[in-house]
Structure formats: C-alpha cells, structure tokens
Amino acid sequence: MADADRFRLNDLIFSQDATAEYDEMDDFLKPSSSKRLKMSLKLGSVQPKPDIAPLPKGKLQELFFTWLCQPSSSETIRGLISDLQSQKEVQMPGRSSIPQDSRTRIGAPKSPVSHLIRVNATFPPSPVPRSGRPREDLLLGGRLSPLGFLDKDQESSHADSSLRNLSSLRSSLSRRTSFSSTATEPHAEKPSIARFYFAKGRISPHEYDERELADVRVAVLRKAEQNGIRGVSKQVLSSIMVQSLGLPSFLTTCVFDRILELSPEEKGTLNVNGSTEGHTGAVVSLGAFMKFFKELCLGKSNPARLFYLLKHCRVENYLSRESLRPLMEGLLECHPGLVFLSGTPEFQVRYSETVIERIFYSCARHNTRCLYLGDIEKSRLLDSLLWLDQEEDINVERKYFSYKHFYVLYCRFWELDTDHDLSIGLEDLMRYGNGALTVRIAERILGGFGRENDSPVKYRMSYTDFVWFCISEEDKKSPRALDFWFRCIDLDGDGLITLADIEYFYREQYSRMEDRGHEPVPFVNIVCQLLDMLQHPEEKKPLISKKDLRACKMQSVFFNYLFNLGKFFQIESRDPRLIQQERAFPDYTDWDRFAAFEYERLTANEEEIMGAGADPVMSQLDM
C-alpha cells in the first residue's frame, strides 16, 4: 500500500465528519486498491482534527488498519464470516480448528482478526473508550468512527446503538454456529412435561403391564378354582369384571362375545358338564381370555376399555346408537330394578331408546350423533355404570337410567301422540304444557333448527326427537338446552340474536296475552329487561351471543319470555311452588324437579286415565 494512501486513511481515522462515507463494511474490505485510492483522493481535502488519544493507542490503531487494508486480510475476514454463517468449523490463521467446547475459553489470538470471530465469547475490557469498538463496529456496519471517539453530546446515543447492534449480532451468529458450551457453561435442561393426550386412552407405564397381566391371570385362576372350572365361564368372568377389568358386571355377556369373536376356535369348547353347547354355555380357555385382555384392555384406561369394547369392529373412531345396544341389553337382563320389564319387550325397547338418547344428550359435546372417547372420559359415564352396578334401585341414578324419568317422557309423548303412530306434528306439539308454546317456536322445532330430527317425515317429530325437546324445554339451564334454543331463536344462523329475532318471537307472545285477557308487556320494556339481565353495555349494539347467555346464567328466563307463556307468568308472579321445590331439592336440576312432580301427578291420576279409555298397555308403564 502506498504511503500517501496510508496517511490519507490515517487522516480519515481522526475525521468524524467523514464517518458516514464508511457505513458499509463491504466497500471498505474490497480488495480493489483503486477503490481505496479514489476514496482517499476524495477525502484528501479533509482537515484532520488534533489527536487527543494517547500515542501508544493511536499507534496500535494505525498498525491495525494498516493490516486491515491488505487484500489478503480482507479475504481472510470474508472467509471467516462465511464459515460462521454456513455453520462450518472455523480455522484460525496459524492455529488448529476451534474446538466445539470453546465458547467462553478461546485462546489468545495471534492476530487481530481472531477478535472478529469471538462474537460468541465473553469480550474482555476494550482498551478504547466504552463507545468505541472498531472491530465489532465494522462487523455491525455501525456509524462509529474507527477509533470510537465521539463528541460528548453524541457519545451516549452512538454507544447505545452499538450495544444493541452487537447484542443482535451475537444472538444471530450464536444460532448459526455449531459451537457448544457444554464444557464450561452447560445449557439449563428443559422441564419435562408429562404426556397429557392419548389417542387410545391413557396408557399405563410399561413396567406395570407385566404386573397387571400377572394379577389378572392369578385372579382368573383363583375364581375358576373356586368354581371347579378349568377355564373362564360367564360366572367366573362376572366375578372379576369390576376388580380386574374396571367394567360393570352387566357387561359380562358383551365381554364373553368379544372373547369368542377374537378366538372363534373356542366356540366349540366343552363346558363343565362335558357337552358341547357352543356360544351359550361354553367355557373359554385362559389363553383366549388373556388374548382378549391384551387386545382390548392392556395399556388402556377404564373409560377407554369401555369405549373399545362397545366400538367393537367399527372402523370409525366413535360410538353410534347401535354401539350402545349391548350395554342396554346387559342392563335389562341383569339389573334387579328392571326385572319387571322382562315380560314387556316393547317397553324394553322404549326404555333403551330413552337411556341412549339421554346418554348422547348429556355426553356428546358435538352437535352430531357420535360419541367419542373424550366424551366418555369427560362425562364420567363409566362411574355412573359402576355405581349403578352396586345400586339395586334404578331410580337413584337420575342422569341417565331412572325409570321414573322414562315413565314421564313416554307418558308425555303418549298424551300428544293421539293416533299412536310414534310421530307428532304441529297440532300435537301445540298441546304440550296446555298450549304453553307459540306457533312460531313450534315450527322452528319441527323444522329441525334446534336439532336435526330423526323422523323421516318433514315437520314431524319422533319419540327420540321428543326426548331431546322435552328435556331442553323443562331444563333450559343445561349447555345442551342452551345450544338447542339458541339455534331456534337465531333466525339467520349467524351466531347472534338480534332485536329483529327477539321481536319476531315476542310479537306472538304479546298477541296471546291480549287474547287471554292479560295486560301485555310492551316490547320496549321486555328488551330493556333482557339487556339489563344480560348486563349488556349501553354503548354496544344490542347483539346477544351464546357466550352472553351462558355468562348471565339466566338463559331460562330469557327464552321463556320469548315463547313460553305459562312460564312467563310464573316468572312474573314469582310462583311460590317453584321456589319451594328449589329449596326442598337444592341438588336437583330443573329437569329432576319437573320429572319428580310429573311422576307423582301421573301415578295419582292413573285410575282416572284408565277409566277415560286410555290404552290398556299404559298400565304396564307403572312400577
């Protein structure tokens, strides 16, 4: 490099006004000497400022920039930066490759360029003032002068900018490099999060599988020995259902059928008397039972065992209504509280339909006819089954299996279905609750807006549809009832109830009040009451969402105001009978209280109903 160029660059070092010409590092490091010469000639007229730095420091900086302007040095720096960006192993000049654990302990460099690759190391105190780090600044493309000297009024702002750029560069290059700090500065271990989702139910740890297999084998052998049987019979299987399989005992027949399906060769096994009776009295081998246990039970939670037992060979990952038929068949066959129905197959079918619909009504979280594993786990259906297995009174379980609830539902449907074709229309539905419903809401119900009807005939309601309607009508506080009635009221299906929707349904309520001689409540007053009940802000548009109704916990009042005239008068008059029932049975839902009251009424009027010429089969409904 020519002496003139070197001295002009030295003048540039002390020129703060010319710093902006060197913003880009690439222009300065280009190996072309003509480019550097043009730049130095361009700046030749710049007058240097007096040197205020100590002489040794200035000399070191001069030597460093002399080395930096050499073409070979520029190529070396570019190669090192390229290696860092491509995550290659860095080869230092005159040294072996940098070890992978040298993040914080890199040896003393033999040349100034080694400082450029120490972006991942802990930087030692710089001999220049805190705002001047020329080597780091060149990498950052910062606007500090090569020596880092600034006027006092600019020093702090430039220093802060440099530190921010340096921090950004360190984090960027630390992600690209393959340096490891495990030797001197190990990374903190990430917290171990336990698995919380299992596609086939919660899986037991592997070390418990062999123990569970051994325990089940021992339990089966002990029960078989007590009964004098070599193998597994229904009697033996029934005695181990709860303790070993975690399933209710009335599913014994269903389990036995699954064992025979997995091991068809067992269907011809000799029973204890030595005669071949095939499926009915067969005793399967221990190996066939253990094969079933490994296939359907091992490594699964108890709700998952119930799910896959009822799912059977279905390809789908959900249960349908038909999937629950074996459950109801076993319950009707074994439970002492349902023995009286053994002589009436028709009512066994109706009771099974009612229970299955109530299970889907309470457990299914989606508006479909599918019951998934997550639905069974969240609803705790298996807990109800196990509790029912120990309880002789079927009416104690009110959520799904109460016979009294079935009696109320079927009698209500029978009263409306005058032609007894198991289907009701608009005229029949309008008699529900002594004409409590409006025509407009009845049309929405029969149109399948609240729930898609099972009836093949349009604008007709089957018995299963009536079960959903009746429970939703008498207990509007449940999440399922909220979904049902919200879809009926939301005329345009946009997920919001507007004033137009409210006005459409309340207009008929207003006319019915006038027809019955009651003083009608103006629409404006009703709207104000509803919005105040929902605590709707005045500055917002009067749009009501399902979330608003769920939050206020008064959705039953909201819906009764719009389409149930009888309950509207009860709310306005503060019916003392309702208040007394709520206080007498605080743990009962609205549906439980309604079913208890209706059951007492129906049983008290049974003789009168029979004398009026009702169908004689109705007498078989009573317990």
Side-chain angles (χ1 to χ4, degrees):
M1 183 177 181
D3 292 341
D5 292 343
R6 179 166 55 82
F7 287 116
R8 285 189 176 89
L9 284 175
N10 190 29
D11 293 342
L12 177 62
I13 292 175
F14 300 104
S15 175
Q16 181 181 356
D17 298 335
T19 305
E21 300 292 337
Y22 289 88
D23 289 343
E24 300 296 333
M25 178 62 186
D26 291 342
D27 292 340
F28 190 76
L29 293 178
K30 285 182 180 180
S32 174
S33 59
S34 60
K35 177 67 176 178
R36 294 195 299 271
L37 182 59
K38 291 179 180 179
M39 294 172 65
S40 57
L41 291 175
K42 179 180 178 181
L43 299 172
S45 60
V46 178
Q47 298 297 328
K49 294 184 179 180
D51 188 4
I52 59 175
L55 183 60
K57 187 183 301 183
K59 189 64 176 179
L60 289 175
Q61 295 292 347
E62 179 183 353
L63 293 175
F64 169 73
F65 278 97
T66 301
W67 174 85
L68 187 62
C69 293
Q70 295 179 2
S72 59
S73 302
S74 301
E75 294 177 0
T76 302
I77 294 173
R78 290 179 178 278
L80 292 173
I81 295 177
S82 177
D83 291 342
L84 287 173
Q85 292 177 346
S86 59
Q87 299 185 2
K88 295 182 180 180
E89 195 175 37
V90 179
Q91 186 72 23
M92 294 177 59
R95 284 181 173 268
S96 60
S97 60
I98 299 176
Q100 294 298 314
D101 60 346
S102 60
R103 180 171 180 242
T104 59
R105 297 185 60 183
I106 300 179
K110 291 185 177 181
S111 61
V113 73
S114 61
H115 290 277
L116 294 174
I117 64 171
R118 295 183 62 187
V119 291
N120 275 338
T122 303
F123 282 79
S126 175
V128 297
R130 62 182 180 91
S131 61
R133 293 186 180 180
R135 294 170 294 284
E136 299 165 3
D137 239 15
L138 288 173
L139 282 176
L140 295 171
R143 297 183 177 276
L144 296 176
S145 63
L147 283 179
F149 295 113
L150 295 173
D151 294 338
K152 292 183 178 181
D153 56 347
Q154 299 178 358
E155 182 179 359
S156 58
S157 61
H158 283 276
D160 293 341
S161 175
S162 177
L163 291 175
R164 286 194 300 268
N165 293 338
L166 180 59
S167 176
S168 175
L169 179 65
R170 287 179 179 176
S171 60
S172 175
L173 291 180
S174 62
R175 291 192 298 267
R176 298 179 180 179
T177 58
S178 59
F179 294 156
S180 174
S181 60
T182 55
T184 58
E185 192 176 330
H187 291 290
E189 295 184 359
K190 296 182 178 179
S192 178
I193 301 176
R195 184 179 178 184
F196 57 89
Y197 173 74
F198 301 87
K200 296 185 178 181
R202 186 174 295 277
I203 302 175
S204 303
H206 177 70
E207 56 268 21
Y208 296 114
D209 291 350
E210 296 298 330
R211 184 186 303 176
E212 186 178 10
L213 286 173
D215 293 342
V216 171
R217 184 186 298 272
V218 170
V220 172
L221 291 176
R222 184 183 296 113
K223 292 294 181 180
E225 184 179 357
Q226 292 176 358
N227 290 273
I229 301 174
R230 295 184 59 185
V232 183
S233 65
K234 285 188 177 181
Q235 184 179 1
V236 173
L237 188 58
S238 176
S239 61
I240 65 169
M241 283 288 291
V242 177
Q243 297 298 330
S244 299
L245 302 184
L247 300 174
S249 60
F250 51 80
L251 284 175
T252 300
T253 301
C254 184
V255 172
F256 204 84
D257 293 343
R258 298 296 178 267
I259 295 175
L260 293 178
E261 290 175 1
L262 290 175
S263 303
E265 67 277 2
E266 297 288 333
K267 291 185 178 181
T269 305
L270 294 177
N271 66 2
V272 292
N273 296 323
S275 62
T276 303
E277 298 182 4
H279 186 107
T280 304
V283 177
V284 298
S285 64
L286 178 62
F289 172 77
M290 296 306 296
K291 179 181 179 181
F292 159 80
F293 186 82
K294 293 178 182 178
E295 192 79 18
L296 269 79
C297 301
L298 187 64
K300 297 182 178 67
S301 63
N302 291 342
R305 294 176 181 181
L306 174 65
F307 177 81
Y308 286 101
L309 176 65
L310 298 177
K311 179 176 175 290
H312 190 26
C313 301
R314 293 177 60 88
V315 179
E316 298 84 358
N317 62 336
Y318 58 84
L319 300 180
S320 64
R321 293 170 177 170
E322 293 299 323
S323 303
L324 299 182
R325 299 293 181 189
L327 171 66
M328 296 308 303
E329 292 174 1
L331 182 65
L332 289 167
E333 179 184 356
C334 301
H335 200 280
L338 298 173
V339 175
F340 70 96
L341 285 177
S342 58
T344 55
E346 179 184 354
F347 293 110
Q348 284 185 336
V349 174
R350 297 291 169 259
Y351 175 76
S352 298
E353 290 179 350
T354 305
V355 172
I356 290 175
E357 292 303 321
R358 295 193 66 186
I359 290 176
F360 274 82
Y361 183 92
S362 301
C363 299
R365 292 175 293 174
H366 308 282
N367 190 26
T368 60
R369 290 169 170 79
C370 305
L371 197 63
Y372 296 92
L373 174 59
D375 300 332
I376 293 180
E377 291 178 334
K378 188 172 182 178
S379 63
R380 305 180 70 87
L381 174 62
L382 181 58
D383 293 344
S384 299
L385 295 175
L386 293 174
W387 181 66
L388 190 63
D389 196 21
Q390 307 298 324
E391 179 60 53
E392 294 185 0
D393 187 0
I394 194 72
N395 295 308
V396 175
E397 206 288 320
R398 302 188 305 272
K399 193 172 184 180
Y400 310 109
F401 302 97
S402 174
Y403 181 82
K404 290 183 178 180
H405 291 190
F406 157 69
Y407 184 82
V408 170
L409 286 167
Y410 193 71
C411 286
R412 278 272 180 163
F413 183 78
W414 190 267
E415 291 173 353
L416 300 178
D417 184 20
T418 54
D419 54 359
H420 306 313
D421 61 348
L422 296 179
S423 177
I424 60 178
L426 179 61
E427 184 179 352
D428 300 325
L429 186 59
M430 287 303 299
R431 296 199 308 272
Y432 181 87
N434 296 323
L437 301 177
T438 62
V439 176
R440 293 182 176 181
I441 195 64
E443 291 175 346
R444 296 284 292 180
I445 295 170
L446 294 175
F449 292 97
R451 170 185 177 268
E452 185 179 356
N453 291 334
D454 297 326
S455 175
V457 182
K458 193 173 182 180
Y459 289 100
R460 300 287 294 182
M461 180 184 291
S462 65
Y463 173 66
T464 55
D465 299 326
F466 180 81
V467 171
W468 283 67
F469 156 73
C470 187
I471 298 177
S472 299
E473 166 59 24
E474 302 303 334
D475 185 9
K476 297 184 176 70
K477 296 179 181 179
S478 65
R480 181 63 63 190
L482 174 60
D483 293 340
F484 184 93
W485 294 117
F486 190 91
R487 286 192 293 269
C488 288
I489 300 298
D490 185 14
L491 295 176
D492 54 1
D494 62 349
L496 294 172
I497 296 178
T498 62
L499 291 182
D501 300 333
I502 297 175
E503 192 270 341
Y504 175 80
F505 288 98
Y506 185 74
R507 181 185 300 173
E508 188 176 354
Q509 284 279 72
Y510 188 91
S511 300
R512 297 176 74 195
M513 292 180 196
E514 291 181 331
D515 296 340
R516 298 190 181 188
H518 295 279
E519 182 181 357
V521 181
F523 175 71
V524 177
N525 294 357
I526 286 294
V527 171
C528 292
Q529 290 184 36
L530 295 179
L531 295 180
D532 291 342
M533 180 180 63
L534 297 175
Q535 298 181 355
H536 196 280
E538 296 182 0
E539 62 274 7
K540 292 186 178 180
K541 293 182 179 180
L543 302 176
I544 301 172
S545 65
K546 193 183 301 182
K547 182 179 178 181
D548 298 332
L549 291 171
R550 189 182 297 112
C552 78
K553 299 182 180 180
M554 297 183 66
Q555 56 263 38
S556 59
V557 177
F558 180 89
F559 292 125
N560 288 330
Y561 271 14
L562 297 183
F563 54 76
N564 193 311
L565 191 58
K567 294 184 179 181
F568 177 91
F569 290 145
Q570 289 179 355
I571 295 171
E572 289 296 315
S573 62
R574 303 295 189 271
D575 190 348
R577 182 176 61 88
L578 297 178
I579 299 176
Q580 183 180 0
Q581 289 180 356
E582 291 180 1
R583 293 178 179 176
F585 306 98
D587 58 332
Y588 278 31
T589 64
D590 289 349
W591 163 253
D592 294 335
R593 284 188 284 268
F594 168 80
F597 178 81
E598 279 294 302
Y599 182 78
E600 295 297 331
R601 183 186 67 83
L602 291 170
T603 54
N605 297 335
E606 182 181 359
E607 293 182 0
E608 182 181 350
I609 294 174
M610 292 292 298
D615 197 304
V617 299
M618 288 294 296
S619 61
Q620 301 180 26
L621 285 173
D622 199 4
M623 297 181 61

